[in-house]
Amino acid sequence: MNVNGSWLLWAVLSVALMFSGPGVAQMQQGEGGNESENESDERQWFSVDSLNAGLDEAPEKVNRLTPRESIRSFLELADEEDFAAAAHILNLSNLEPAEQRERGTRLASQLAEILRRGEWLNISDLPGRQDAAIQDPSGQHPQTGEPRRNIELASLQANGQTYDIRLGRYRVGEEEAEAVWLITPDSVSSILPLYEEFGPSWLERHIPKRFKASFGILRIWEWIAIPIFLLAIGLVGWSVYGLVGLMAHLFPSGWPSIFAGWIRAPMSLLVMSLVAQVLLNYVVSFTAVATTFIRVLLIIIVAWGVATIALRLVDTILLDVTRRLVGPIDDTKPKDDRKLLTSLYALRRVIILITVIAVAVYVLSQIQLFETLGMSLLASASVLTVLVGIAGQAVLGNILSSFQVSLAKPIRIGDLIMFEGQWCYVEGIFYTFIRLRVWDERRLNVPVTYFVSKPFENLSVKSSKLYRTLELTLHLSADIELLREKFLEYAKQEDNIIEHHKLLCYVTGQTGMAQTIACYLMTSEPMDGWVAEMHVREKLMAFIRDNHPEWWPREVVVLSHQDIALGEEPGARISSAAMPMNTNPKGDDSL
């Protein structure tokens, strides 16, 4: 009985499940479909019970189906001063229906002024689709093809706060109603503080209405005011330039007058920018096209002016240290002083590099280009890499080589080097080139990469002492001991010849008619040593010419048919003569 009852119960449950299963599945599927449909609708628009109940029906000329058409329609209605119709593009749900008509018209007028002055708005950049989906043929954007119900129109700052003006897509609860794009209620609440910041200035309130009409991208009064504005700013800059120049003359000679003379131009531009900023904030305000350009230009000028003044201060300090510690740039100064000057130049390049990076970051952050430039740079990273690699290869190579020279210090400021056969003093090591002062006071600018790729001789790497070699070509009969004594005497008379115990004079070569005598002397400095060598040579030549002219090299010409070496009597010879002949001296070092 129990077994039969259990079997019967299982049979009844099986039949019930068989008939009820499809229905339950269909019910669950229908519920899931409704949820999916609701989620899809929530991603496309905001569902509301009513829109702007306090306003009349929206006129036909109000187009709100896409973000682009909505803003274009708003600006056109604002130009026509039909702010009652323009209020239909605002979501006034935060206002009571009784207030929406009056306050909506005023808010539309204020928003139009904000959009004209606050940010340069390009309507073509707004989405032209009803769902505002991002269209990216490459498919790289992560939200390509996905509908949006909220997009940013502008981001403005007022009183240190950031306010976003956004567009939202709204649809009244009825299924047949079309979704429209309106300024969101939060953005409508931000109109008042933004209008206080970007509303008409004191000057514009007193301009006749006929001059406020649009003429091209600007208004009529702006075409007149902008040249006057620039002229006034230019007069301020000219005055500052003259005042700083006068201060440079009044300051005592030294680093104050030099610094004042160097900052005339950047200081005048900096004051011009600050005055222009004050006028734009409190006296006059232009439309977004002009204001955006002027403000970006002012930001760049301010950053450049501050950076230039800072670099001029570093240069002044560097110049003062150079004059106090090092003095004239040559290798007569101690090695530590020349090393210090080289390190200061390297520090200057580091400061310049840091300043340039800081200025670039400041400018980009102020003009808010990081968001737009970021995606562009990432999308075109390969192209930029190729361009930098090709166009900037030489510049980057010189900069890296400059840092290498400054750190390794194969040369120092003031070193005397032999570069491509010329004596040169290292006068400056810069980012892309090295400035050399040639012995005849010419300046030779050599690219850093070219300089480090060529062999050079640093005559001051340890000390400025240099061995000099003086050579004389004399007859075989010249008395070497007497000549050595004269050489030692003359060499010790020269102040620039040092270490007298290293003075040497020996015969270093011999031919059938002459002998080569080399004299070695140590000099304190290459250039002065060259002069000392010339003095000693001249004195030795004068001694030989005045006392032993027979020491000059000469050739013997035999005019007989038989060689005099055969020992014949002099009378048997037809004639013979010894004719002294000067040989061609070998440059400045031999006679």
Side-chain angles (χ1 to χ4, degrees), residues 241-532:
Y241 186 84
L243 179 61
V244 176
L246 180 61
M247 293 173 60
H249 288 291
L250 296 178
F251 284 155
S253 60
W255 69 266
S257 61
I258 295 175
F259 178 68
W262 279 352
I263 64 171
R264 294 177 68 182
M267 180 61 72
S268 60
L269 290 176
L270 184 60
V271 174
M272 288 170 58
S273 302
L274 296 178
V275 172
Q277 191 71 39
V278 171
L279 293 178
L280 289 175
N281 291 336
Y282 300 102
V283 179
V284 63
S285 60
F286 303 112
T287 56
V289 177
T291 302
T292 301
F293 176 77
I294 294 175
R295 290 188 183 277
V296 170
L297 183 61
L298 293 179
I299 290 172
I300 295 174
I301 292 176
V302 168
W304 176 84
V306 172
T308 303
I309 292 175
L311 293 178
R312 290 291 182 262
L313 179 60
V314 173
D315 289 339
T316 305
I317 296 174
L318 180 62
L319 179 62
D320 186 63
V321 172
T322 301
R323 290 180 174 179
R324 291 176 180 270
L325 301 181
V326 181
I329 299 178
D330 55 34
D331 64 345
T332 60
K333 296 299 178 182
K335 175 183 175 181
D336 293 339
D337 290 347
R338 301 199 305 273
K339 184 177 180 180
L340 173 62
L341 186 58
T342 305
S343 301
L344 290 176
Y345 269 81
L347 178 62
R348 178 182 183 273
R349 289 194 295 276
V350 173
I351 294 175
I352 291 175
L353 184 61
I354 295 175
T355 304
V356 170
I357 295 175
V359 168
V361 172
Y362 170 76
V363 171
L364 291 177
S365 62
Q366 289 297 313
I367 60 180
Q368 299 179 354
L369 286 181
F370 275 132
E371 297 181 359
T372 56
L373 285 180
M375 295 302 297
S376 300
L377 292 177
L378 291 176
S380 58
S382 59
V383 178
L384 290 177
T385 303
V386 172
L387 292 177
V388 171
I390 295 176
Q393 182 178 5
V395 176
L396 294 177
N398 281 314
I399 292 175
L400 295 178
S401 298
S402 174
F403 279 106
Q404 177 186 357
V405 170
S406 300
L407 294 176
K409 293 184 175 62
I411 57 173
R412 300 177 297 266
I413 304 296
D415 281 358
L416 178 64
I417 65 172
M418 184 69 71
F419 181 70
E420 294 187 342
Q422 299 190 80
W423 283 3
C424 308
Y425 284 106
V426 180
E427 199 171 48
I429 303 173
F430 302 96
Y431 266 116
T432 57
F433 67 93
I434 296 176
R435 188 170 63 207
L436 305 176
R437 189 180 76 223
V438 190
W439 66 273
D440 57 0
E441 295 300 325
R442 291 181 294 117
R443 277 8 180 224
L444 187 64
N445 295 325
V446 184
V448 184
T449 53
Y450 180 82
F451 181 86
V452 298
S453 64
K454 297 293 182 179
F456 61 90
E457 182 180 358
N458 192 337
L459 304 178
S460 309
V461 65
K462 290 187 177 180
S463 67
S464 58
K465 297 188 299 183
L466 182 67
Y467 252 125
R468 301 289 304 179
T469 303
L470 185 154
E471 289 188 351
L472 294 175
T473 302
L474 301 177
H475 192 264
L476 294 174
S477 62
D479 187 350
I480 303 303
E481 289 296 331
L482 179 59
L483 192 63
R484 183 180 293 116
E485 293 177 2
K486 290 298 178 181
F487 165 71
L488 295 176
E489 177 186 349
Y490 297 150
K492 291 178 181 180
Q493 294 175 359
E494 296 292 331
D495 295 335
N496 293 317
I497 296 178
I498 59 176
E499 299 183 10
H500 296 161
H501 63 282
K502 294 184 179 181
L503 294 173
L504 302 173
C505 182
Y506 293 103
V507 177
T508 57
Q510 178 259 332
T511 63
M513 295 179 293
Q515 59 182 337
T516 302
I517 301 171
C519 302
Y520 299 93
L521 46 89
M522 176 70 75
T523 60
S524 60
E525 191 270 336
M527 290 296 293
D528 294 338
W530 181 85
V531 175

Side-chain angles (χ1 to χ4, degrees), residues 48 50-56 58 64 74 83-111 166 168 170 180-192:
V48 293
S50 62
L51 279 176
N52 300 336
L55 301 180
D56 297 333
R64 304 176 294 180
F74 178 82
F83 297 110
H88 287 277
I89 304 178
L90 309 180
N91 188 340
L92 304 174
S93 59
N94 288 345
L95 302 178
E96 295 294 333
E99 301 176 347
Q100 290 180 359
R101 182 186 300 273
E102 179 182 355
R103 295 190 59 186
T105 301
R106 185 166 61 254
L107 290 172
S109 173
Q110 294 175 349
L111 179 60
R166 308 187 69 89
Y170 301 92
V180 293
W181 288 90
L182 306 177
I183 302 295
T184 62
D186 293 338
S187 301
V188 172
S189 301
S190 304
I191 291 178
L192 183 58

